Amino acid sequence: MPITNADTRSLIGAVSVIHRPASFYLDRYFSQMMEFETETLDFDVISGGRTIAPYVHPDVPAKHVRTGGYKTHSFRPPYIKLLESVKPGQALRRRAGEAYMGEMSPGDRLDALTLDTLNEQRRAIMRRKEAMAVEAIDTGAIICEGEEFPRKVVDFDRDPSLSQALTGAGRWGESGVRPLKSIKDQATAIQKLTGVLSTDVIFDPMAAEIFQQDAEVKELLDIRRQASGQLELGPVVPISDAQPIGSIGVFNFFIYQDYYTKVDGTDGQLLPDYTTHICSTAIDGVQAQGAIQDADLGLVSAEMVPKVWNEKNPSARQAMTQSAPLPVPTRINQSARIRVR
């Protein structure tokens, strides 16, 4: 049926089957989806996890033990609303890949152009969500600011010791500085706070280059050889758009970076230069989604809500996608960041 006669649920299904952009941090550390029926999100940031059971005599009453805790946060997530006009004249031209003289009717082309537009809007929202997830692990907080959305900081209360910025002679690449020890120290700090050993180490390309050129790292990787004489990197399986580069002990190393275009047309990148993240999937991140507010639909609980309608003067089809996302790392202390230079 024509796009404009499709209900919102059908549009959500039509758009969701189109290729979803790769998103390493969302897929690996925020794999749970939680769609709220309210515009305000309430979530718990969990702490604790290291309590040891006390000894008691079997005839003594059980002891009250604090096994952990959490802090409840409330936040109204930033609202995303992307709108684009699809003009009927665009449907008169042959689409890329279509037979030379054209094999689609103008109506079919207009529907296809509309789905293309909704899909690109979905991609833009996914890029924003991935950027938010990276920022949460990089700084322990997410800063939300935009047009008619005053600056708000969502602080997940990560322990300050887990956000390092090396300076002077302590930077990676300086004489006597051991990048592997730096990583182990931060992993130990995570374990002391949470009881969990984080084994994922993600570098931006600049931090990765310094790490891979370190003599100690080269030596440890060189001794991990098979009979074939090839460097043994363990099972290397592509994970989203992160590139596995090997392992040492319990640590698995990845290079990751992605780039995007800002609203003002300038370029941006997800990971700041010279950044290393140490993480665990036990961070139990959630992709929280606030309800979508729409006069025709009411409050809709969904990750994204596409909507299409026609205007008569001037004649055009409007394609819009709305979302209210907030990636939440419920165990934020199971991540750390090192700015290595």
Side-chain angles (χ1 to χ4, degrees):
M1 62 182 172
I3 290 289
T4 50
N5 292 333
D7 60 27
T8 298
R9 187 60 56 187
S10 298
L11 278 175
I12 292 174
V15 175
S16 64
V17 299
I18 300 174
H19 174 68
R20 185 185 181 103
S23 44
F24 174 69
Y25 278 74
L26 282 175
D27 294 344
R28 192 164 179 84
Y29 306 114
F30 298 83
S31 58
Q32 303 175 67
M33 180 72 70
M34 186 177 294
E35 297 168 349
F36 287 70
E37 296 181 348
T38 58
E39 58 179 317
T40 301
L41 311 181
D42 295 322
F43 55 87
D44 301 329
V45 175
I46 303 168
S47 60
R50 296 191 303 127
T51 303
I52 190 169
Y55 295 114
V56 296
H57 190 279
D59 296 330
V60 174
K63 298 291 185 182
H64 288 282
V65 178
R66 180 182 175 88
T67 56
Y70 62 89
K71 182 177 180 180
T72 301
H73 297 251
S74 293
F75 183 72
R76 179 179 291 184
Y79 206 79
I80 295 174
K81 185 185 294 186
L82 300 177
L83 176 66
E84 187 170 343
S85 295
V86 183
K87 298 180 180 180
Q90 296 174 262
L92 300 178
R93 296 189 294 270
R94 182 176 62 89
R95 286 170 54 81
E98 190 179 351
Y100 176 62
M101 295 302 293
E103 56 190 357
M104 300 175 68
S105 70
D108 289 341
R109 288 197 197 103
L110 189 61
D111 285 349
L113 286 167
T114 303
L115 282 177
D116 288 346
T117 300
L118 293 174
N119 183 46
E120 186 52 42
Q121 291 174 350
R122 181 181 183 86
R123 286 174 175 272
I125 293 171
M126 289 305 301
R127 290 187 194 101
R128 171 59 69 185
K129 290 181 64 175
E130 176 76 348
M132 295 170 79
V134 171
E135 185 179 8
I137 290 179
D138 189 60
T139 67
I142 298 175
I143 298 175
C144 303
E145 186 174 16
E147 184 179 354
E148 298 184 8
F149 191 90
R151 177 185 172 94
K152 293 185 181 296
V153 180
V154 189
D155 192 340
F156 300 111
D157 294 329
R158 183 162 70 191
D159 190 280
S161 67
L162 300 180
S163 299
Q164 282 192 351
L166 306 180
T167 59
R171 301 177 302 172
W172 287 14
E174 301 295 330
S175 177
V177 176
R178 299 168 54 202
L180 189 57
K181 182 180 185 303
S182 180
I183 290 169
K184 289 179 178 178
D185 288 346
Q186 280 296 73
T188 299
I190 293 173
Q191 189 173 18
K192 286 181 178 179
L193 286 167
T194 68
V196 173
L197 179 63
S198 295
T199 58
D200 287 357
V201 182
I202 306 102
F203 307 104
D204 87 290
M206 291 187 175
E209 183 176 1
I210 299 174
F211 179 78
Q212 291 176 298
Q213 292 301 315
D214 179 75
E216 180 184 21
V217 171
K218 285 183 176 181
E219 180 181 358
L220 288 172
L221 288 175
D222 283 344
I223 65 174
R224 295 172 59 80
R225 293 181 180 273
Q226 297 174 324
S228 64
Q230 298 298 313
L231 190 64
E232 170 60 80
L233 299 178
V236 177
V237 179
I239 301 177
S240 188
D241 44 349
Q243 176 187 349
I245 58 171
S247 61
I248 297 175
V250 299
F251 297 110
N252 300 307
F253 302 109
F254 303 89
I255 299 177
Y256 176 75
Q257 184 61 282
D258 201 5
Y259 303 90
Y260 56 88
T261 302
K262 301 178 184 178
V263 176
D264 62 7
T266 60
D267 292 332
Q269 60 189 56
L270 292 186
L271 279 173
D273 292 339
Y274 300 110
T275 293
T276 298
H277 290 164
I278 304 164
C279 304
S280 164
T281 54
I283 199 171
D284 283 345
V286 174
Q287 297 180 44
Q289 298 287 155
I292 303 304
Q293 307 167 50
D294 189 281
D296 295 329
L297 307 172
L299 289 176
V300 181
S301 175
E303 180 186 17
M304 302 179 202
V305 175
K307 187 176 181 180
V308 174
W309 68 94
N310 288 338
E311 290 184 352
K312 295 183 179 180
N313 187 20
S315 181
R317 176 174 290 179
Q318 303 296 337
M320 180 175 70
T321 305
Q322 302 175 82
S323 184
L326 182 66
V328 179
T330 60
R331 292 181 169 87
I332 186 60
N333 282 338
Q334 288 173 8
S335 68
R337 186 231 42 223
I338 310 171
R339 203 80 77 219
V340 304
R341 287 191 70 81

